[in-house]
Amino acid sequence: AIITGIVIDAFSGLRDEKEAADQDLQTKCFVCNLDRFTLDQKGQGFDKHIQTEHNPRWYLFFLLHLYNARPRSKLTGQEMHVLRKVWPEEQGQKRSFAWLPREKTVSLVDDGEEGQRAASEVHDQLAAMAEQLQTLTQAAGEERKTLQAILSTVAPSTFGVASTFGRSNKQLHPTEAGIMASRR
């Protein structure tokens, strides 16, 4: 009876650990460790965050890409940095996962002064781009009017090309007129 109690107690402990791990996967981002509530309230939502920003599969594929990359000279500087952190070349050096974004994400709205400043900068940049787009649109409209005026003054016959509207056989090039006559 004592052995049965020990076995049951051990299995219940393992079950509790598994449930805690499953609960963590359901409520925290595996990559950045931010909780569901924070991402839902200040971000774009937990599920979208997991799918679009910190998808664990992408990180796994990235690590596999680094591990299997041959030749290593084809890797970028950032890839080499991560490769050396995860698989250090020197024997006594420990693995480091400091390159992972811990409790950070791009889509998280910061309530602090820095977040407001960054949002203000983005807003200013968008306003400047909208102004430039407006200026370019106006310039393109003016150029279009100028080109239309030039084209209207040049007679189509100058180029030996018939008008595309209301063409009659008289305006066709002799080769085109022959083709049209043979189709009748």
Side-chain angles (χ1 to χ4, degrees):
I2 295 176
I3 295 176
T4 305
I6 293 172
V7 169
I8 290 173
D9 193 37
F11 278 117
S12 67
L14 289 174
R15 185 184 62 231
D16 291 344
E17 286 178 21
K18 184 182 180 324
E19 287 175 358
D22 289 344
Q23 183 70 18
D24 266 358
L25 286 175
Q26 297 298 319
T27 61
K28 289 186 178 179
C29 174
F30 182 76
V31 176
C32 70
N33 204 37
L34 285 170
D35 61 86
R36 177 182 285 273
F37 180 78
T38 302
L39 291 168
D40 284 340
Q41 295 298 312
K42 296 182 179 181
Q44 60 185 359
F46 181 78
D47 294 328
K48 189 172 182 182
H49 170 80
I50 298 297
Q51 293 171 356
T52 61
E53 282 189 79
H54 291 162
N55 191 329
R57 289 182 187 141
W58 295 346
Y59 282 82
L60 175 64
F61 294 146
F62 176 65
L63 291 173
L64 289 173
H65 160 72
L66 295 180
Y67 186 75
N68 294 321
R70 300 289 185 263
R72 300 254 192 239
S73 61
K74 297 280 184 180
L75 295 176
T76 65
Q78 293 90 344
E79 290 172 333
M80 284 300 295
H81 173 75
V82 172
L83 179 70
R84 288 184 183 129
K85 291 283 188 182
V86 177
W87 292 286
E89 294 172 352
E90 298 173 16
Q91 280 296 352
Q93 198 173 3
K94 290 185 177 182
R95 290 183 178 186
S96 171
F97 293 96
W99 58 275
L100 287 170
R102 301 309 293 171
E103 297 188 4
K104 294 177 185 172
T105 182
V106 173
S107 66
L108 195 63
V109 176
D110 186 11
D111 291 336
E113 185 179 313
E114 184 178 327
Q116 290 175 354
R117 185 175 44 80
S120 176
E121 286 177 13
V122 169
H123 183 272
D124 293 344
Q125 289 174 351
L126 286 174
M129 289 173 66
E131 188 177 314
Q132 288 175 344
L133 180 63
Q134 183 68 26
T135 303
L136 290 173
T137 303
Q138 290 173 350
E142 292 170 7
E143 288 295 322
R144 183 173 182 249
K145 288 177 185 176
T146 303
L147 287 174
Q148 285 176 339
I150 292 171
L151 287 175
S152 66
T153 60
V154 177
S157 62
T158 304
F159 299 109
V161 177
S163 171
T164 55
F165 299 106
R167 282 173 35 159
S168 66
N169 283 345
K170 294 176 189 173
Q171 295 173 326
L172 292 176
H173 188 272
T175 308
E176 291 177 326
I179 293 171
M180 294 298 285
S182 66
R183 289 186 183 170
R184 290 185 191 163

